[in-house]
Amino acid sequence: MNTSIAAPAVQPGADILERILGAHGCLVSLEDADGDALIGQFRSLVRRTGQAIYLWSPEEGLGNLREEHAEKAPHARLSQVLRYIQQSNHFGIYLLRRLPLPLAAPDVALLRQLARTPTGHVRRVVLLDAPESLVEGLSDVIVRLSCQVKPAHRPRLRDGRWLL
C-alpha cells in the first residue's frame, strides 16, 4: 500500500509574516505589496493563529485585524499612534497605511526611536505603501522587504551534478 502524505498548504501571507517577524530591525517597509490583499491575508491569519496584528490608517484609526467590526481606537493622528506603540509593552505588529506626507519632524524622530528601541518582546512597525522618499530618508534604520514571489528553484541533474 502506497500512502503519500501531502505537505500542509502554506496559508497566503504566512511567508511574509514570518519574514517580518524575522527582520533584524523593528521598522520594516514592505515593497511591491498589494495592501488590500495583504491585509485580507493577515486578517485570515490572525483569526487562525491568534497573532497580534494592528492596522492604522488616518481615516480609520488603529484597530486589531482580528476584530474587524470592533470599534477602532481614536488614534487618528500619526504622532498619537506612534506614541501609543512606543509606550506599549506587549507583542504586536503594527501596519501603518497611507502615511500623511510630508511627515512632521517629531513623527520621523518617533519612527527612528521605534526602529532603535531594544525590546524583550517582538514589536514591528510595518510601513505599507510607503513612498520611496520616506523609505530613503529612513534607510539607516529601516529593513526593506519585497513581497514579490520569487520563482522556486528546482534542482536539476546535469552531467552527474545537481544544479540550481
Side-chain angles (χ1 to χ4, degrees):
M1 180 165 99
N2 187 0
T3 308
S4 63
I5 299 175
V10 176
Q11 190 169 0
D15 57 336
I16 296 171
L17 182 61
E18 287 301 319
R19 290 179 27 216
I20 290 170
L21 292 173
H24 297 311
C26 294
L27 183 61
V28 177
S29 172
L30 286 182
E31 299 174 352
D32 307 316
D34 178 6
D36 294 329
L38 188 63
I39 289 168
Q41 292 169 357
F42 282 171
R43 197 176 303 275
S44 176
L45 268 172
V46 298
R47 287 186 184 135
R48 291 191 175 104
T49 64
Q51 295 282 352
I53 301 179
Y54 304 93
L55 174 65
W56 176 85
S57 68
E59 302 86 21
E60 298 176 6
L62 182 66
N64 191 332
L65 283 185
R66 188 177 320 127
E67 300 154 0
E68 180 177 4
H69 301 292
E71 188 172 323
K72 310 268 191 232
H75 300 292
R77 294 180 50 198
L78 181 60
S79 58
Q80 292 173 326
V81 77
L82 291 176
R83 277 192 229 104
Y84 174 80
I85 294 168
Q86 188 178 38
Q87 294 170 359
S88 172
N89 59 359
H90 65 279
F91 168 85
I93 296 173
Y94 298 89
L95 306 173
L96 305 179
R97 285 188 86 184
R98 295 187 285 278
L99 296 172
L101 290 179
L103 286 184
D107 293 343
V108 174
L110 280 170
L111 280 173
R112 288 184 173 281
Q113 286 176 4
L114 285 168
R116 293 185 176 128
T117 304
T119 58
H121 54 280
V122 176
R123 178 177 54 205
R124 299 285 184 264
V125 177
V126 179
L127 305 180
L128 289 175
D129 311 326
E132 185 66 27
S133 60
L134 175 62
V135 175
E136 286 296 322
L138 296 168
S139 64
D140 58 327
V141 293
I142 199 164
V143 176
R144 298 172 90 159
L145 294 177
S146 176
C147 291
Q148 287 187 340
V149 178
K150 296 177 183 168
H153 293 291
R154 291 182 37 191
R156 294 174 289 149
L157 186 62
R158 182 166 293 166
D159 297 328
R161 291 183 292 162
W162 287 100
L163 303 174
L164 289 178

